Each structure stands twice: as C-alpha cells, then as structure tokens.
Amino acid sequence: MTSKPKPRQTRQRAEILSALATAGDFRSAQQWHDVLRHESSTVGLATVYRALQSLAESGEVDAVVTDSGETLYRRCEAGDEHHHHLRCRRCGAAEEIDVPDFEAWATQLAATHGYSSIDHTVEITGLCGECAKATN
Amino acid sequence: MTSKPKPRQTRQRAEILSALATAGDFRSAQQWHDVLRHESSTVGLATVYRALQSLAESGEVDAVVTDSGETLYRRCEAGDEHHHHLRCRRCGAAEEIDVPDFEAWATQLAATHGYSSIDHTVEITGLCGECAKATN
DNA sequence: TTATCTGCAAACATTTTGCAGCGAG
DNA sequence: CTCGCTGCAAAATGTTTGCAGATAA
C-alpha cells in the first residue's frame, strides 16, 4: 500500500499556515504568496502552490475554483460556522449569505446514502444589480 | 450606451450550435472543437472559444468551471432539471441527489440582494460506507 | 460596402515540474 | 545520513488576442 509521507514542518509551511490562520477568506495561491512576501517572508511561489495543494488534499484547507479558473484557498474551519457567498460573476462582488438548515440537511441526506464525514460547497453566482444593467 | 451587435449567422456558428444541440452534456471548448473536427468541420479553436463565450454571455449555453480550471459548456435547457451529486472523496463514487426547493430558494435569496441570472454549484462530498470502513 | 467573423499564431495567466542544494527527522 | 522540501526558471495547460483576409447583411 502506497501511503503518503506526512509533510515536514518547515519554516515556509509554518508561515503559510500562519497566513491562512490570520485571514479566513478565500484567496488565490498568488495572493497568499503576496501576503507572505509583504510579511517579509521569502517563500517561493511554487512552494506556496505545493503547500496549498497538499493541504487541500489532506483536507486542512478548502479550495474552490472561480469562474475565471483561479483556485482559491482558505483555512478549513472544521465544524465551525461555515458561511457561503453570493458572488457576482461579472464584477466579482460578493456578499455573505446564510443557508439555513443546509448543513443539517446535507448531513442527514448523506447519512441516508451511507455517507459520513460530510463536507459541502455551495456557490451561488449571478449578476449583481449594477452589472445586470450594464449587460444587455 | 454600448450595445452589443448581434452575432451573424455563419457556417461555423451553425456547426457549433448543431454540435451543442446534439450532445446535451458539459464539454470543454476543446472537446467541442474536437467533436466538430471529427465531423469534418474546419472551425478553428479560437472560433469555438469565441462562439461559446458569446453564447454563454447571452445565456444560450451554460458554462461551469471544473476543479482543474477548465470551462465546460452545454446547451442551456432553460428550466431543465438540474441535479447535484453526492460524491465519495475517497473512491470517487457519486450518486445523484435531489435538493428540494434549493433552486427556488437560491433564486429568491439572490433577488433579495439584487442579483439576477442566478446559477449555483452544490457539491456534497463525504466518505461512502465502504470507504469509511476502509479508512483508518 | 462595411463591420463582424474567422483562422492562425503569438501572447497570456495560472499552475506544474525538473533539478540541485538545503534541512528536518 | 536520507529523503522530502525549497527556489528558480522552464514547461505545460487552457484561454485570449492581434491581424489580415473572408463574408454576412
């Protein structure tokens, strides 16, 4: 059985985790890299990509893909309040929304099918008022 | 006000629309391009991208972005059934699920915030029964 | 006629990978 | 000591764009 080796604790990895812990929102790998650079960290971009990728794989961070194809990451707050966004696919504006009972519903539904350790992604996109006007 | 000129009816566009009409599933621009090439069409890849892009903008086709960042298109069957999946993140198994009232709820919520042309992605992942047992 | 569409290739943006050296365990 | 991690730059991927010529209206 090929088991994955567990990541080593390195300065870079610690800094990345720290950055993730500080800001709880979704940011692209490049944005996280920028954040680190501004904190006088010297992590390389590729390292950030590799770290986020591995963290996402092990479930320590959440990853979503935007309409433009960028992958965004944020720290995963297992079981924490978990809110979703309503995002304008044109101008990128986003507002937090509440999805009542969704968590409970999803967990129950999954259980019905024999699934456990449920996680979910709910992405709602549309055109905000202004962009709707601008579009014709 | 800059109004967009309406697309001309060209051979290429017709072929693309025809291909979209034939297969109702989501495919990437490159895949649609392949399909056309196999039907001895000579449309260029860029043309396919441009056509799909314009069709998506005018709401004639649906576009979604995959986890790997590819954009997939399919003909838009306005008001068609739209189902979601419950997927096992370990073995990849997936089952279709029904999310009652979600569509309506999402549309209404979005409207509350002034959003229109709503689309959404609901991804529910977990461990299926077998994988849960196998996991240690 | 004229503005849009097309095809090609070059440009782009994001992410991945090869490789040599560093460093955690 | 070993093997994974890092940084750099080069490669890969998917998509967009510039341009000159073809073509719908």
Side-chain angles (χ1 to χ4, degrees):
Chain A
M1 198 171 284
T2 31
S3 60
K4 235 158 287 177
K6 83 171 189 302
R8 288 180 182 175
Q9 181 193 313
T10 63
R11 175 181 59 80
Q12 293 82 342
R13 214 171 173 84
E15 292 178 348
I16 292 172
L17 286 170
S18 156
L20 281 163
T22 302
D25 52 337
F26 277 107
R27 305 202 182 174
S28 70
Q30 315 216 37
Q31 281 178 306
W32 286 117
H33 178 244
D34 283 349
V35 169
L36 291 170
R37 290 316 227 54
H38 286 157
E39 292 174 357
S40 46
S41 167
T42 60
V43 264
L45 179 57
T47 300
V48 174
Y49 272 107
R50 281 186 278 226
L52 289 174
Q53 191 177 274
S54 110
L55 287 169
E57 213 163 299
S58 64
E60 291 174 72
V61 302
D62 276 343
V64 298
V65 181
T66 68
D67 282 6
S68 61
E70 287 174 305
T71 304
L72 306 182
Y73 302 88
R74 78 162 176 198
R75 72 165 179 270
C76 177
E77 321 190 42
D80 198 2
E81 53 46 73
H82 178 100
H83 60 261
H84 305 279
H85 291 105
L86 169 58
R87 198 152 42 73
C88 175
R89 70 168 137 263
R90 195 149 185 280
C91 69
E95 337 200 354
E96 278 186 23
I97 58 176
D98 186 41
V99 189
D101 306 321
F102 188 81
E103 328 272 323
W105 175 83
T107 302
Q108 199 204 320
L109 172 96
T112 300
H113 289 261
Y115 280 60
S116 53
S117 301
I118 301 311
D119 188 17
H120 62 268
T121 303
V122 176
E123 274 275 317
I124 303 184
T125 59
L127 290 179
C128 69
E130 301 193 17
C131 288
K133 266 182 259 172
T135 306
N136 59 31
Chain B
M1 201 170 285
T2 31
S3 61
K4 236 158 287 177
K6 81 169 190 305
R8 289 180 182 175
Q9 182 194 313
T10 63
R11 173 181 60 80
Q12 292 82 341
R13 216 174 172 82
E15 292 178 347
I16 292 171
L17 286 169
S18 157
L20 281 164
T22 301
D25 53 337
F26 277 106
R27 305 201 183 175
S28 70
Q30 314 216 37
Q31 280 178 305
W32 285 117
H33 179 245
D34 283 348
V35 169
L36 291 169
R37 290 316 228 52
H38 287 156
E39 293 174 356
S40 46
S41 167
T42 61
V43 264
L45 178 57
T47 300
V48 175
Y49 271 107
R50 281 187 279 228
L52 289 174
Q53 189 175 275
S54 111
L55 287 169
E57 215 162 297
S58 65
E60 292 173 71
V61 302
D62 275 344
V64 299
V65 181
T66 67
D67 282 6
S68 62
E70 288 174 304
T71 304
L72 306 181
Y73 302 88
R74 77 160 176 201
R75 70 163 180 272
C76 177
E77 321 192 39
D80 198 4
E81 50 47 73
H82 179 99
H83 60 262
H84 305 280
H85 291 106
L86 169 58
R87 198 153 43 72
C88 174
R89 69 168 138 264
R90 194 147 186 283
C91 70
E95 336 199 355
E96 278 187 23
I97 57 175
D98 186 40
V99 189
D101 307 320
F102 187 81
E103 327 272 321
W105 174 85
T107 303
Q108 197 204 321
L109 171 96
T112 299
H113 289 263
Y115 281 60
S116 53
S117 300
I118 301 312
D119 189 17
H120 61 267
T121 303
V122 175
E123 275 273 317
I124 303 184
T125 60
L127 290 180
C128 69
E130 302 194 16
C131 289
K133 265 181 262 172
T135 305
N136 52 35

